[in-house]
Amino acid sequence: MRLTRYFLPVLKETPAEAQIVSHRYMLRAGMIKQASAGIYSWLPLGFKVLKKIEDIVHEEQIRAGHIPMLMPTLQSADLWRESGRYDDYGQEMLRITDRHGRDMLYGPTNEELITDIFRANVTSYKDLPLTLYHIQWKFRDEIRPRFGVMRGREFYMKDGYNFDLTKEDALHAYNRHLVSYLRSYERMGLQAIPMRADSGPIGGDDTHEFLVLAETGESEVFYDSAVTDLTFGDREIDYDSVEQCQAIMEEFTTKYARTDETHDEAAFNEIPEERRRVARGIEVGQIFYFGTKYSEAMGASVQDKDGNKVPVHMGSHGIGVSRLLGAIIEASHDDKGIIWPEGVTPFHCGIVNLKQGDGDTDAACEGLYAALTKAGLEPLYDDRNERAGGKFATMDLIGLPWRITVGPRGLKNGVVELTSRKTGESVELSAEDAVARVVEIYAGV
RNA sequence: CGGGCUAUGGCGCAGCUUGGUAGCGCGUCCGUCUGGGGGACGGAAGGUCGUAGGUUCGAAUCCUGCUAGCCCGACCA
């Protein structure tokens, strides 16, 4: 993309409404614009990152054997009366009346809808196990939205639901989700620690929240510092293997890591003192096993081998897709702007032309642009007639991980400059080598 | 929902106390000079001062209602 043809309304000054760094940078980098309290338009740059995150979530869910679908944002209140949650949810649920006077609601979650689909179409144990998920906009009418997309009222979320014949099968589904979530976050450049949590209004027995450590986190967290040494890496995983998923779940959840809701001071104090950590975290996902709570209330059952009608065991699992943008920025930025991890960056590489209109530099930039594009990468070429300072400041703000700087001075010696946004380190090399280097970097992402 | 605050051009702000017909910086547009970290000079466009009403010869400014937004708390992914 050429910057002169793109829509990137960056701001030099910080809008007054933004308090935390991710919100400030998202506004300044032209990623979002507030439409009303807690509701945002996603401008092209923000939309691009949102889609990258969504793509990773989809890929990892499909890899784990889960099936994508899409349910509506507006739901009938009747289903929620059936589950008993229409009254439980309170003011946080946005209630709407249609022209016929029917009670509707903008869904804050989808347990009722998915259970309705399930019970209408699944009747036999042979159809199990089944895990369906979707990524859709949700709405929770927060009393006080704040922190930009981190705590908006409208938010984009992956939510999935597993249906299993037995508790054992359902726990395997739970473990699959834990593993697939670990992989997803790691691809986004995040360390999200699974912590034993409280099940809240969804209810249930087992639940883990995934938290990204950040000073601006909403939750106080207590953990054994050994958990931050764990990484999933590129290990092979067979999602059909109950033992393997179980082993990974245990590996990542045995060491002490809890939010303040479930914190146990005595257990915490058993950790060697030098490994005890108290910090803050941003919740970016949660998985639940809740047994037959919804299936019993809503009649979601199947016939087992003996012809008996039994309620299915269920779980649900969510990833806050839109919230993740905020979390990633909170975890990865400096005083100049965002630093995107390579897995979610809106463009792979920036190209800065230091002397727009100069025949040689223009030609060199065009060459780089064409070569990177041909290699399957998406460069952002700053071809504006701006001075160097302005171009650098924009690139730093929007946080592309790599920048190729092209100027007459370097070209005289046959080199361009490749700079890491994260470390600030630059190397001079030929244009061909710069392209090769960037291609190599992204080959592993 | 309790407490506090704000609303003036795309963004950040001043002007309000003491009413007299709106200003600054950034950004935008045009031109010239520039050209490796938000450059300089010259010109220009852009505002029913959130909204409704009141006081007054006259309201951005004083008074009242309403709306929207922000902060702290409680709540929440």
Side-chain angles (χ1 to χ4, degrees), chain A residues 200-243:
Chain A
I202 293 175
D205 307 330
D206 285 309
T207 179
H208 280 90
E209 276 181 345
F210 290 78
L211 288 110
V212 173
L213 298 176
E215 284 169 22
T216 41
E218 75 274 50
S219 312
E220 186 168 31
V221 298
F222 303 82
Y223 63 95
D224 178 338
S225 67
V227 299
T228 57
D229 298 333
L230 293 167
T231 56
F232 195 86
D234 54 4
R235 64 178 97 177
E236 289 291 316
I237 172 76
D238 173 7
Y239 280 107
D240 290 328
S241 165
V242 171
E243 296 72 26

Side-chain angles (χ1 to χ4, degrees), chain A residues 96 125 138 155 172 209 214 321 333 375 425 430:
Chain A
I96 299 162
Y125 74 96
K138 311 274 194 294
F155 56 99
H172 177 226
E209 276 181 345
V321 174
H333 68 270
E425 285 165 16
S430 72

Side-chain angles (χ1 to χ4, degrees), chain A residues 121-364:
Chain A
N121 299 287
V122 179
T123 52
S124 163
Y125 74 96
K126 292 175 185 168
D127 296 321
L128 304 183
L130 179 65
T131 297
L132 298 167
Y133 78 93
H134 74 160
I135 300 180
Q136 177 62 293
W137 292 96
K138 311 274 194 294
F139 196 94
R140 290 182 196 167
D141 199 1
E142 298 283 344
I143 298 166
R144 193 188 153 207
R146 62 185 124 173
F147 304 151
V149 300
M150 295 260 287
R151 189 163 163 208
R153 291 194 292 170
E154 188 181 48
F155 56 99
Y156 201 45
M157 179 176 166
K158 174 260 165 177
D159 52 318
Y161 305 90
N162 68 282
F163 304 90
D164 290 279
L165 187 60
T166 64
K167 180 173 181 178
E168 291 67 41
D169 289 349
L171 289 176
H172 177 226
Y174 186 91
N175 294 339
R176 279 201 314 273
H177 282 89
L178 191 135
V179 173
S180 66
Y181 278 26
L182 287 172
R183 284 184 56 102
S184 302
Y185 295 126
E186 225 169 88
R187 285 184 60 188
M188 295 169 202
L190 283 177
Q191 178 165 48
I193 304 168
M195 301 199 180
R196 187 163 297 284
D198 188 62
S199 60
I202 293 175
D205 307 330
D206 285 309
T207 179
H208 280 90
E209 276 181 345
F210 290 78
L211 288 110
V212 173
L213 298 176
E215 284 169 22
T216 41
E218 75 274 50
S219 312
E220 186 168 31
V221 298
F222 303 82
Y223 63 95
D224 178 338
S225 67
V227 299
T228 57
D229 298 333
L230 293 167
T231 56
F232 195 86
D234 54 4
R235 64 178 97 177
E236 289 291 316
I237 172 76
D238 173 7
Y239 280 107
D240 290 328
S241 165
V242 171
E243 296 72 26
Q244 197 183 2
C245 291
Q246 171 81 19
I248 294 171
M249 186 277 284
E250 285 173 6
E251 175 186 346
F252 279 85
T253 60
T254 302
K255 295 207 167 56
Y256 192 92
R258 296 193 184 188
T259 65
D260 49 3
E261 292 166 336
T262 54
H263 179 54
D264 177 346
E265 195 68 30
F268 185 61
N269 286 332
E270 285 173 20
I271 307 167
E273 194 170 354
E274 68 277 8
R275 282 176 21 207
R276 281 178 223 155
R277 298 284 186 279
V278 180
R280 302 200 70 81
I282 300 166
E283 192 196 322
V284 292
Q286 188 161 10
I287 54 177
F288 300 89
Y289 162 68
F290 44 65
T292 56
K293 172 177 166 156
Y294 292 91
S295 53
E296 280 181 19
M298 298 185 66
S301 54
V302 294
Q303 282 191 302
D304 66 14
K305 280 178 183 155
D306 305 318
N308 300 316
K309 216 170 180 190
V310 294
V312 294
H313 285 257
M314 292 176 63
S316 76
H317 337 85
I319 291 185
V321 174
S322 52
R323 152 173 274 228
L324 270 164
L325 274 92
I328 292 169
I329 296 170
E330 290 296 327
S332 181
H333 68 270
D334 63 16
D335 58 0
K336 290 178 189 157
I338 301 164
I339 304 173
W340 289 117
E342 276 131 9
V344 299
T345 183
F347 294 96
H348 297 104
C349 176
I351 301 171
V352 169
N353 184 340
L354 290 176
K355 194 169 184 183
Q356 207 71 43
D358 176 277
D360 292 339
T361 52
D362 286 2

